[in-house]
């Protein structure tokens, strides 16, 4: 005789199971950093067999890559900014959103731990590189479009990455002590030039070789 009622035990395999694993993995990687998280702990929290994670993702690095591709914090932040679609204020909005996430005492330390892990682990660094190219550079290139859009998007990303490295990893002064408004004022012109590309001076800029007007 069959008994009715809810089933107990581990979650069976299926599309919902994969989504549940990724939801747990993405949150845990952001909260605890890459090295501190184990596949066994993710399996336990998602209520699935450990073998099921290996079946879907192959390894811890495979799971991390899949979770990151679904929109880890930096990609989600950028997606919100890109969705607004206004290129005239895009550099300023990106800086403010990046600083809001990295300065936050809850979201900042896990991101820094993830960055350090990517530097120490070549395989993980490759996964982060792939995610940045797909989720950040390609998104910006789609926004700016036009000639050399991807090169301009990559240059823009380089400036943002340099800001993150100097402010949070190296803690370089005076960058680390600047207010958000100060960072916007000093860094946004570089981002705007990166979006324009080489050979396109900022408005009111003097052509090379032309002297400044006399006073």
């Amino acid at each position: 005789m069959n008994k009715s009622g809810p089933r107990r035990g581990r979650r069976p395999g299926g599309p919902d199971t994969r989504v549940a694993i990724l939801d747990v993995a993405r949150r845990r990687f952001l909260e605890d950093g890459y090295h501190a998280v184990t596949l066994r702990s993710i399996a336990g929290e998602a209520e699935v067999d450990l073998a099921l994670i290996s079946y879907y993702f192959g390894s811890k690095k495979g799971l991390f890559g899949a979770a990151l591709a679904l929109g880890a914090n930096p990609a989600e932040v950028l997606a919100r900014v890109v969705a607004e679609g206004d290129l005239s204020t895009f550099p300023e909005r990106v800086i403010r959103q990046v600083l809001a996430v990295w300065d936050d005492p809850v979201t900042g330390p896990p991101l820094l731990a993830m960055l350090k892990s990517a530097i120490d682990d070549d395989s993980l660094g490759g996964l982060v590189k792939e995610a940045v190219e797909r989720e950040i550079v390609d998104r910006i290139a789609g926004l700016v479009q036009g000639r050399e859009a991807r090169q301009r998007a990559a240059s823009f990303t380089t400036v943002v990455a340099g800001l993150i490295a100097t402010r949070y990893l190296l803690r370089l002064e005076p960058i680390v002590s600047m207010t958000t408004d100060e960072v916007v004022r000093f860094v946004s012109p570089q981002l705007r030039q990166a979006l324009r590309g080489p050979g396109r001076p900022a408005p009111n800029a003097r052509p090379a070789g032309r002297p400044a007007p006399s006073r």
Side-chain angles (χ1 to χ4, degrees):
M1 183 174 63
N2 293 331
K3 295 182 179 180
S4 61
R7 298 177 59 184
R8 297 183 179 275
R10 296 294 189 181
R11 187 195 306 269
D16 291 343
T17 303
R18 191 176 189 278
V19 171
I21 293 171
L22 287 172
D23 286 345
V24 171
R26 180 169 53 180
R27 179 177 55 76
R28 289 291 307 282
F29 281 134
L30 287 174
E31 288 178 354
D32 303 331
Y34 180 78
H35 289 294
V37 176
T38 66
L39 294 184
R40 188 174 299 278
S41 67
I42 292 175
E45 188 167 342
E47 299 182 347
V48 301
D49 289 328
L50 180 60
L52 203 55
I53 296 183
S54 297
Y55 172 78
Y56 280 130
F57 307 105
S59 66
K60 179 179 175 180
K61 291 182 177 66
L63 175 59
F64 175 79
L68 192 62
L70 287 181
N73 228 341
E76 290 176 347
V77 168
L78 181 68
R80 289 195 296 268
V81 178
V82 169
E84 297 176 11
D86 185 358
L87 271 179
S88 66
T89 60
F90 186 66
E92 290 83 359
R93 289 185 289 114
V94 167
I95 293 174
R96 291 186 184 280
Q97 289 296 318
V98 167
L99 295 190
V101 170
W102 282 80
D103 283 344
D104 188 278
V106 175
T107 58
L111 287 173
L112 181 58
M114 191 181 301
L115 175 61
K116 291 178 178 178
S117 296
I119 293 172
D120 293 337
D121 188 320
D122 290 341
S123 297
L124 178 59
L127 287 173
V128 172
K129 167 184 171 293
E130 181 181 353
V132 169
E133 288 176 348
R134 182 174 60 253
E135 297 295 329
I136 295 180
V137 175
D138 287 353
R139 281 181 182 270
I140 297 174
L143 178 65
V144 300
Q145 301 181 345
R147 183 171 176 268
E148 298 181 326
R150 202 163 190 278
Q151 289 90 332
R152 289 149 56 201
S155 298
F156 185 98
T157 305
T158 297
V159 176
V160 175
L163 171 62
I164 291 171
T166 54
R167 185 175 174 96
Y168 304 102
L169 188 62
L170 300 178
R171 297 192 60 79
L172 179 70
E173 290 291 359
I175 295 297
V176 71
S177 298
M178 284 183 179
T179 65
T180 296
D181 287 342
E182 288 173 329
V183 174
V184 167
R185 182 161 61 93
F186 281 99
V187 178
S188 61
Q190 302 171 48
L191 292 176
R192 187 163 282 105
Q193 182 61 54
L195 289 181
R196 279 192 294 265
R200 301 180 63 184
N204 302 323
R206 297 192 308 276
R210 180 177 296 180
S214 58
R215 295 183 179 275

